[in-house]
Amino acid sequence: MPFRSFRLSIRFILPLAIALGMFAYAIVPLVDNLTLRWFVKDLDTRSQLLASALHEPLLDYIPEQDRKKIEQLFNRSVQDERLYAVAFCDPAGTLLYKTVTYPPTLGCRMLQNRNGRPQSLVQLPQGSLHVAQNTLESDTTRLGTLILVHDMSFIERRSADTRKYVISLFALLAVVISLITVFVAHLSWRGWISAVKGILRGDILPKGQSTAPPEVRPLVGDLKTLLHEMNIERRVQSDSPQLWTPDKLRSLLHEQLAGDEVLVVSNREPYIHVRTPQGADVRRPASGLVTAVEPVMRACSGTWIAHGSGSADRDTVDRNDRVPVPPARPSYTLRRVWLSREEEQGYYYGFANEGLWPLCHIAHVRPVFRSTDWEQYVAVNQRFADAVIAEARTDDPVVLVQDYHFALLPRMVSEVLPRATIITFWHIPWPNPESFGICPWREEILEGLLGSTILGFHTPFHCKNFIETVDRYLETRIEHEASTISYGGKLTQVEYYPISIAWPDDDDVDANTINVCRTEMRNALGVPPNHLLAIGVDRLDYTKGIIERFQAVERLLELHPELIGRFTMVQIAAPSRSSLDEYQNFEARVRALVQRINKRFSSAGYEPILFKAEHHDTDQVIRYYRAADVCTVTSLHDGMNLVAKEFIAARKDERGVLILSQFTGAARELHEALIVNPYHVEQSAEALYRALTMPDGEQRERMRGMRTRVKDNNVYRWAGHMLLDASRLRQRERIMTKIHSHSRNKSLRRVV
Ligand code: F6P
């Protein structure tokens, strides 16, 4: 801004100064002439007065021809510094008396100009002189002419001074007028720009104004039309009755964003190569993030940058650390970043999972913040940012940044690639400002995230918490209606995009297949065909409410002992972050609880809880979903929870009941689930009972509603909405830039 003002000033001041300079140059001779005339008039009057003063004594001395007295009188008179000489001529034109200073060349001739008029100014070698001739008469006799000669050099000096003042005055005027002009132009330019921005934001008129400024009015119509067209286009895209599909997402990316290039950054990689005695095996991690983003990447291609954490990861990459995936049918590139043990410890286990994770989840585990972890977090974010920059083939890629592991990366990337569209998605909840405030590096985290073009959360509540946190800790401009934050010249759209899953393409699955799956699972578990099964699928994490779930099972069996031996809770628990004390303690507590409950209710090979703390692949998990009567999601706090949606997607038979914690993002969409407060053990036990005894008709009705919703609000829609918003922002940014340069030229032209 200051630079632009400076350039504007130069562009205004120079021409104005030149114009005023030329004007001053033309006006100085006029001023000279005028002042000269004033001074000559002044000397005429002065000569008149002097002549009058000399008149009386001369009337006495001339007739007596008293030379001595006359010359004394004359010499006294010329003591006045401006009166240069005095002389007296008789009527015949003979010079009778004079001071020594009287120029001989003047003599007694009557001075006349070319037109024969008496001339008062003469130019002699000694300089300019003013000559005044006064006739001296006694009562009736003309005695002669008294000549008074004034030095004009002081007038020249004054005239030079006046010229100097006039020129300085004009120079000063030039500067003052230019500055006022620039100031006024600047104000009207800013008003103009803010009015246009207001229209683009949809305010139509800037706040507090009843009408748009007159200069903007001709544009309002055009801009409104443009915005309207953009909105219609967007609505058509997003609300199309057509299902969001990979194809639709792909074409959106290419048509709306002209984006040939999508880069994803996440900590967790979508495919992990692990060493086994049989060679390298590929695993899919238990990660909601991977479940959601992987289908998007399959649709869009591009490069996914992630931490190479598998034991055989290095063996499977090329010399650029890249590997094409999915292994069976590659459609995008996985670029692995290697971390040292210290880096992983500080950045992933330390800052991300002992600091930010408990900070953002209300699960009553105290966050731990260490400076050494923070240093690693900064360094690893920089390493991944460098990888993004290195992988980008263009200067405006679409970068999808995933989760709390990379809060600093958006700003790091945008500083090097300012034209990049950076969409950051925060997969976990965002706490209120007070809770977030305990993070010692809260400002840095917020600044880093505000390097994003779009910052996405699962729910409006998390967006609100984020905006309030920014408002509390940073100096920014927040537009609440538009949900944008402007910080350091960068505009970030904060929006909620409920994440989802790819709806399965399972034409071959029918109710019969599901029944077969149900029977096979019960056989495998060694229970009778009508045995009631509940399933829980989670990472072994203290936020998932696994303890509360088992307490609910215990209470269920207490309240409904008829279910003992007829009901089993199968808990799949994928090991997670197990090198952290908190997770080890949690696992120990879970195992102890399972043991206690199983001991309490077991009989002849029956145990009410089957705790399977090991990795399960996707197909195995789907088989459990299909075989179960109930799926339990009892997180104490969860951004979304995709297990709930995966269960629904797996139930093509429209059977099965979902028990869902009210503290998940999913509870805002899946109203037909049995919503519980997991801290209320009785309530959860009741919900379990209700689910296990729910009539088929009710199950179908509930499941049908949820299936329609999850199918429509699938992950392509999630990504599509973010990309549409990004494309809208990119378009808006382009229009702003155009208006900006257009308005500047226009206001300059108007002022000049
Ligand atoms: O659900 C939140 C989340 O961070 C996901 O985004 C992530 O993939 C998942 O937890 C698993 O965590 P981790 O990658 O640490 O095993």
Side-chain angles (χ1 to χ4, degrees):
M1 186 67 85
F3 182 63
R4 192 168 53 214
S5 298
F6 174 73
R7 276 192 358 225
L8 264 175
S9 309
I10 291 295
R11 292 178 70 171
F12 277 109
I13 286 175
L14 271 184
L16 265 170
I18 290 171
L20 283 170
M22 286 166 68
F23 188 55
Y25 184 75
I27 214 161
V28 160
L30 282 177
V31 173
D32 251 0
N33 210 300
L34 197 68
T35 47
L36 185 67
R37 272 207 256 154
W38 284 342
F39 284 126
V40 168
K41 228 175 172 182
D42 187 35
L43 284 178
D44 284 347
T45 316
R46 193 181 154 83
S47 299
Q48 204 80 57
L49 286 171
L50 262 170
S52 302
L54 292 173
H55 193 259
E56 282 300 311
L58 284 176
L59 279 185
D60 290 344
Y61 302 152
I62 298 285
E64 290 171 15
Q65 297 181 358
D66 192 340
R67 172 171 295 276
K68 195 173 164 206
K69 283 197 175 155
I70 292 170
E71 284 181 353
Q72 268 178 355
L73 181 67
F74 282 4
N75 285 338
R76 261 205 317 275
S77 303
V78 293
Q79 275 169 10
D80 178 317
E81 59 164 308
R82 292 192 204 157
L83 188 63
Y84 181 66
V86 184
F88 183 79
C89 299
D90 66 10
T94 312
L95 182 62
L96 296 180
Y97 312 105
K98 66 175 181 64
T99 55
V100 287
T101 49
Y102 190 73
T105 45
L106 275 182
C108 284
R109 282 174 293 125
M110 284 297 280
L111 297 164
Q112 291 178 340
N113 66 14
R114 276 195 207 123
N115 305 325
R117 295 215 181 97
Q119 187 185 339
S120 58
L121 293 182
V122 290
Q123 193 64 42
L124 293 179
Q126 47 269 72
S128 295
L129 299 173
H130 175 272
V131 181
Q133 300 165 32
N134 297 273
T135 307
L136 193 69
E137 289 174 336
S138 66
D139 296 333
T140 49
T141 328
R142 184 166 173 256
L143 297 176
T145 306
L146 176 66
I147 303 173
L148 297 170
V149 180
H150 274 92
D151 180 8
M152 293 277 288
S153 62
F154 82 95
I155 293 178
E156 273 165 12
R157 277 198 307 278
R158 276 194 190 173
S159 187
D161 283 351
T162 312
R163 210 175 301 136
K164 225 163 36 192
Y165 288 134
V166 168
I167 290 175
S168 316
L169 183 72
F170 271 91
L172 189 70
L173 260 179
V175 172
V176 171
I177 293 176
S178 304
L179 286 178
I180 292 174
T181 312
V182 168
F183 182 64
V184 171
H186 193 68
L187 280 189
S188 69
W189 174 78
R190 279 179 57 167
W192 202 85
I193 284 293
S194 84
V196 173
K197 280 184 178 169
I199 294 166
L200 285 176
R201 272 194 305 270
D203 302 351
I204 304 301
L205 295 177
K207 282 190 189 95
Q209 287 191 23
S210 55
T211 52
E215 315 85 79
V216 180
R217 271 179 225 151
L219 263 182
V220 172
D222 287 352
L223 285 175
K224 277 209 250 179
T225 314
L226 187 66
L227 283 177
H228 187 62
E229 280 167 8
M230 278 166 63
N231 281 342
I232 288 183
E233 204 177 321
R234 179 168 179 253
R235 221 171 296 138
V236 166
Q237 291 265 11
S238 57
D239 294 343
S240 149
Q242 253 183 2
L243 199 61
W244 276 86
T245 60
D247 282 345
K248 187 170 169 181
L249 187 65
R250 219 179 346 257
S251 65
L252 161 74
L253 185 72
H254 292 290
E255 282 160 23
Q256 302 275 322
L257 281 161
D260 313 310
E261 210 185 353
V262 175
L263 297 165
V264 165
V265 199
S266 74
N267 172 70
R268 187 62 63 206
E269 55 183 341
Y271 294 92
I272 305 179
H273 287 94
V274 285
R275 242 176 246 139
T276 67
Q278 293 75 39
D281 192 13
V282 189
R283 292 227 175 125
R284 303 290 309 280
S287 157
L289 179 161
V290 170
T291 307
V293 180
E294 213 271 338
V296 173
M297 269 313 264
R298 283 193 201 210
C300 301
S301 303
T303 304
W304 186 328
I305 300 161
H307 171 210
S309 56
S311 52
D313 274 355
R314 283 181 195 264
D315 310 340
T316 45
V317 292
D318 65 11
R319 60 193 171 85
N320 295 313
D321 300 324
R322 298 188 186 126
V323 53
V325 288
R329 207 159 151 230
S331 57
Y332 66 95
T333 304
L334 171 59
R335 156 76 201 278
R336 285 173 170 147
V337 174
W338 315 114
L339 297 181
S340 66
R341 225 182 54 77
E342 293 71 33
E343 282 174 326
E344 191 180 4
Q345 184 57 44
Y347 136 83
Y348 172 75
Y349 287 110
F351 194 77
N353 285 317
E354 285 190 288
L356 290 179
W357 179 268
L359 180 78
C360 292
H361 287 90
I362 306 165
H364 316 290
V365 170
R366 286 171 69 125
V368 179
F369 290 110
R370 305 179 193 90
S371 294
T372 46
D373 292 346
W374 168 248
E375 281 155 24
Q376 293 293 0
Y377 186 81
V378 176
V380 172
N381 267 250
Q382 190 61 62
R383 288 199 53 203
F384 275 80
D386 293 345
V388 171
I389 293 156
E391 291 294 330
R393 294 188 312 270
T394 60
D395 68 343
D396 61 349
V398 175
V399 186
L400 304 174
V401 183
Q402 306 301 315
D403 232 349
Y404 59 99
H405 309 94
F406 296 117
L408 307 178
L409 182 140
R411 184 154 296 275
M412 290 169 171
V413 171
S414 79
E415 271 165 10
V416 182
L417 298 175
R419 296 188 61 232
T421 299
I422 303 174
I423 303 176
T424 303
F425 195 80
W426 194 262
H427 289 256
I428 61 175
W430 189 277
N432 62 42
E434 290 73 27
S435 303
F436 188 78
I438 66 169
C439 174
W441 296 280
R442 60 194 183 197
E443 284 88 2
E444 287 87 336
I445 299 275
L446 296 173
E447 281 171 349
L449 287 169
L450 291 178
S452 315
T453 317
I454 288 185
L455 176 57
F457 295 94
H458 292 295
T459 68
F461 182 61
H462 298 154
C463 293
K464 181 175 151 288
N465 277 352
F466 178 79
I467 292 173
E468 283 174 6
T469 308
V470 169
D471 204 12
R472 180 79 60 90
Y473 301 115
L474 284 187
E475 278 292 320
T476 58
R477 180 160 169 229
I478 299 175
E479 298 284 347
H480 289 277
E481 297 83 11
S483 197
T484 56
I485 301 176
S486 183
Y487 181 68
K490 174 129 191 129
L491 190 74
T492 301
Q493 174 93 49
V494 180
E495 206 46 84
Y496 68 98
Y497 306 94
I499 205 167
S500 195
I501 54 164
W503 191 253
D505 184 14
D506 53 3
D507 293 341
D508 52 332
V509 176
D510 57 17
N512 191 39
T513 321
I514 294 177
N515 272 334
V516 171
C517 181
R518 195 182 156 86
T519 310
E520 283 177 0
M521 181 62 71
R522 281 166 178 73
N523 287 343
L525 295 175
V527 294
N530 61 348
H531 194 84
L532 295 169
L533 279 188
I535 178 81
V537 179
D538 304 88
R539 282 183 306 102
L540 197 39
D541 193 295
Y542 53 79
T543 60
K544 300 294 180 185
I546 297 173
I547 287 184
E548 290 72 9
R549 190 178 307 168
F550 292 167
Q551 286 169 342
V553 168
E554 182 177 29
R555 190 73 186 123
L556 170 78
L557 298 180
E558 282 169 3
L559 294 172
H560 301 280
E562 71 279 12
L563 291 176
I564 299 169
R566 288 186 52 221
F567 161 76
T568 300
M569 168 88 229
V570 180
Q571 178 64 49
I572 291 175
S576 182
R577 308 168 192 170
S578 33
S579 66
L580 294 179
D581 284 352
E582 200 66 54
Y583 284 76
Q584 287 170 10
N585 294 341
F586 178 69
E587 184 174 352
R589 282 172 57 214
V590 171
R591 285 188 185 281
L593 182 64
V594 171
Q595 217 176 21
R596 187 177 65 71
I597 296 173
N598 279 346
K599 197 166 166 198
R600 186 171 167 198
F601 297 104
S602 64
S603 63
Y606 166 76
E607 284 187 334
I609 299 176
L610 272 179
F611 183 63
K612 294 172 164 291
E614 63 203 358
H615 175 80
H616 287 69
D617 64 33
T618 315
D619 289 344
Q620 285 174 300
V621 173
I622 290 176
R623 278 199 290 280
Y624 278 107
Y625 287 145
R626 288 186 175 145
D629 299 292
V630 178
C631 177
T632 53
V633 175
T634 52
S635 311
L636 304 181
H637 203 187
D638 219 333
M640 172 55 68
N641 194 290
L642 292 183
V643 166
K645 294 188 175 180
E646 284 177 331
F647 172 67
I648 290 164
R651 298 311 296 256
K652 206 172 173 185
D653 62 339
E654 297 179 344
R655 296 293 197 290
V657 181
L658 175 66
I659 293 179
L660 184 58
S661 159
Q662 68 185 76
F663 305 120
T664 59
R668 289 167 190 270
E669 281 181 78
L670 305 175
H671 311 294
E672 295 88 345
L674 298 183
I675 306 293
V676 296
N677 172 356
Y679 291 97
H680 191 331
V681 173
E682 256 80 19
Q683 191 194 65
S684 300
E686 260 316 301
L688 258 176
Y689 184 73
R690 194 174 158 202
L692 292 169
T693 56
M694 188 178 283
D696 274 5
E698 187 180 346
Q699 286 186 34
R700 185 177 300 116
E701 210 173 298
R702 287 173 182 269
M703 187 54 86
R704 199 175 280 168
M706 291 192 286
R707 278 176 66 81
T708 309
R709 202 152 321 115
V710 176
K711 187 176 179 185
D712 285 348
N713 299 342
N714 59 32
V715 76
Y716 304 111
R717 191 186 182 104
W718 170 75
H721 279 193
M722 287 195 292
L723 292 175
L724 272 173
D725 283 349
S727 105
R728 198 165 41 87
L729 286 183
R730 260 161 101 122
Q731 251 173 296
R732 188 177 286 193
E733 206 58 37
R734 272 200 294 271
I735 296 171
M736 293 277 217
T737 314
K738 267 194 193 154
I739 289 171
H740 198 265
S741 61
H742 172 72
S743 72
R744 226 177 43 198
N745 294 341
K746 197 173 165 187
S747 73
L748 279 174
R749 272 207 303 276
R750 210 178 43 232
V751 169
V752 170

